[in-house]
Amino acid sequence: MFSESLRDFRRLGFRHVLLQVLNFASVIASGLMMWKGLGLITNTESPIVVVLSGSMEPAFYRGDLLFLTNPASEQYKTGDITIYRTGDRNGPDIPIVHRVIETHDMPLCAPESFAFTKPTRRQPKLPAQCTDKVPRQLMLTKGDNNYADDLELYRGLDWLERKHIVGKVKGFLPYIGYVTIAMNDFPQLKYALLGGLGLLALIQRE
Amino acid sequence: MHTLLSRVNNASAFMSSCMMTLLAAIAISSFFLGSQPTGEVGISPVKVFAAKGRRHYSGKQDAAFVNFNVTADLAPLFHWNTKQLFVSLEAEYTNMHGVQNTVVIWDKIIRRKQDAQLHIEGGKNKYAFREVSTSFKDVSPASYALKYNLMPYVGVLQYGEIARTSDDVPFPEAQAKVAS
């Protein structure tokens, strides 16, 4: 079988190989375009994510696929399931899928001291001019399967804010994402799959 | 032309497109199935105590304690594409600084139609109910709402409100914890 395909390969020549490489590149490019286009429409950096942990069981299991949106004009609400990242100050920056259980919508242009980490009995002064379009929002999240809220996961932050949130879950598709988890757990599988696909693309006749 | 590989390729492509169509049909069907559930929420007078603050802040912060009665029939929300319901009781109020707050004080996951009848009397809040400016003084009366989130086997997550208190419930003056 292999000697036959090798002979085919020699017969078809250099131009054919180039054409196949071009085809392969266009497939990858169109995939990337669809991904980025979807990201533009939904306003998130990753419109589709795979669930990696069991903290939202029994709703979402490892390997389920989630579709996200992040409309810029909409505030988050309690009950929304968000994907957030709090930055990698000490540890890996893993996106977390948890539900919002508290929202506190600040008045427009509320100053930084409005974060209420300290008590304020006096009415804080609002700045004379401000450029905020959307009010600041403080949030607290919790995994449905966890006993405590996420304060410990915020790495020193008191509240979650919009800038930490990648998007909220709109749609759900079970199991499909398990392929990527399997590929991460067994890297050999990933290389075998990629190598196989590349080889097939090169030696296929049409 | 008709190699084993191409046959396998065609068959699996056809199978996966059939699967996708079926899943899409199921996802769309759940927009037409299910109807508005009915329920009632009653709140007993709320108690407020001066309590220990949240992390990073060592001073006192008021904590509210809510007793509630909930009756609801959520069976209309169960259809073939209902994986589970997430039901939550939320308090909505505006504090003296004009901050709009929504706080989930109790929630429950319902996975079967047999468990869809809720009869809760004298329920207590499951999560700490604190005010961000540390005190419930001069805070507007709160409205309490029972809401649901329908999570499907496949498709779009749906949200809705089941019931709401007819009158807003005021927060009383904070009392110091009585040693018993």
Side-chain angles (χ1 to χ4, degrees):
Chain A
M1 187 200 161
F2 280 111
S3 62
E4 194 188 323
S5 39
L6 206 69
R7 207 177 56 230
D8 281 348
F9 187 72
R10 224 175 264 138
R11 187 168 56 81
L12 288 164
F14 186 60
R15 277 169 176 261
H16 177 74
V17 175
L18 275 185
L19 190 66
Q20 290 291 36
V21 168
L22 206 63
N23 274 340
F24 201 60
S26 91
V27 166
I28 289 175
S30 56
L32 201 68
M33 265 167 63
M34 271 167 71
W35 175 256
K36 286 292 169 193
L38 211 60
L40 270 178
I41 294 166
T42 56
N43 192 32
T44 69
E45 52 184 281
S46 53
I48 300 172
V49 295
V50 175
V51 179
L52 296 174
S53 82
S55 59
M56 283 297 279
E57 282 177 20
F60 303 149
Y61 288 88
R62 246 169 85 85
D64 291 346
L65 220 59
L66 305 176
F67 298 89
L68 312 184
T69 60
N70 182 30
S73 56
E74 251 177 59
Q75 292 281 66
Y76 288 97
K77 290 194 283 290
T78 50
D80 283 348
I81 301 165
T82 56
I83 285 78
Y84 68 88
R85 274 203 290 242
T86 48
D88 54 350
R89 251 179 295 171
N90 36 27
D93 185 20
I94 302 166
I96 298 170
V97 184
H98 281 176
R99 192 188 295 273
V100 177
I101 63 163
E102 276 186 35
T103 60
H104 306 283
D105 298 4
M106 301 286 134
L108 208 59
C109 305
E112 205 58 27
S113 64
F114 238 63
F116 296 106
T117 45
K118 291 190 184 74
T120 44
R121 290 302 302 160
R122 275 173 299 143
Q123 183 87 39
K125 277 205 194 84
L126 297 181
Q129 57 187 35
C130 75
T131 51
D132 289 5
K133 291 280 187 294
V134 185
R136 208 165 145 227
Q137 198 175 28
L138 306 179
M139 281 169 269
L140 183 69
T141 53
K142 177 184 164 291
D144 285 1
N145 199 23
N146 294 352
Y147 284 105
D149 60 45
D150 290 352
L151 201 56
E152 294 302 315
L153 297 174
Y154 294 166
R155 295 176 179 153
L157 297 171
D158 278 309
W159 301 98
L160 203 66
E161 291 189 45
R162 194 182 184 102
K163 62 187 173 203
H164 305 124
I165 292 180
V166 178
K168 67 176 169 192
V169 179
K170 267 280 177 211
F172 171 81
L173 193 62
Y175 309 125
I176 310 288
Y178 212 87
V179 183
T180 63
I181 291 184
M183 279 203 271
N184 272 336
D185 288 358
F186 309 102
Q188 296 96 324
L189 192 74
K190 184 162 60 186
Y191 299 133
L193 208 70
L194 278 178
L197 274 180
L199 205 67
L200 262 179
L202 277 178
I203 62 174
Q204 237 173 19
R205 256 168 290 183
E206 342 169 35
Chain B
M1 270 289 104
H2 298 284
T3 59
L4 184 68
L5 203 68
S6 72
R7 281 170 201 272
V8 169
N9 191 17
N10 281 340
S12 61
F14 182 62
M15 258 171 66
S16 61
S17 42
C18 282
M19 183 81 132
M20 282 297 161
T21 316
L22 189 64
L23 288 178
I26 292 172
I28 291 167
S29 78
S30 57
F31 285 109
F32 305 107
L33 301 168
S35 51
Q36 178 63 28
T38 52
E40 256 178 69
V41 179
I43 306 285
S44 312
V46 176
K47 291 191 185 74
V48 174
F49 292 100
K52 206 170 145 287
R54 215 168 166 251
R55 194 184 61 177
H56 296 316
Y57 173 59
S58 50
K60 294 280 187 197
Q61 187 173 19
D62 286 354
F65 291 84
V66 183
N67 275 292
F68 57 86
N69 300 328
V70 164
T71 32
D73 177 17
L74 305 174
L77 287 172
F78 276 87
H79 51 79
W80 67 345
N81 196 18
T82 304
K83 186 180 194 179
Q84 68 166 37
L85 290 178
F86 180 87
V87 183
S88 59
L89 185 65
E90 303 176 357
E92 293 169 14
Y93 66 96
T94 307
N95 77 5
M96 60 177 292
H97 300 304
V99 179
Q100 286 167 28
N101 306 279
T102 311
V103 180
V104 173
I105 57 172
W106 174 86
D107 62 22
K108 186 178 173 65
I109 293 172
I110 301 166
R111 305 183 67 189
R112 297 184 306 169
K113 197 171 185 175
Q114 295 96 293
D115 305 331
Q117 310 292 333
L118 284 182
H119 293 287
I120 293 157
E121 273 185 41
K124 291 190 175 78
N125 50 329
K126 199 164 150 185
Y127 306 119
F129 183 11
R130 298 199 184 98
E131 161 50 35
V132 275
S133 66
T134 71
S135 170
F136 279 107
K137 203 177 172 191
D138 301 329
V139 164
S140 74
S143 168
Y144 292 81
L146 189 68
K147 296 186 180 175
Y148 72 83
N149 170 209
L150 194 160
M151 301 168 98
Y153 285 108
V154 59
V156 178
L157 276 71
Q158 287 168 314
Y159 293 87
E161 191 175 296
I162 303 159
R164 185 177 279 275
T165 49
S166 46
D167 300 315
D168 290 355
V169 185
F171 292 98
E173 198 69 22
Q175 31 187 307
K177 265 250 155 85
V178 186
S180 53

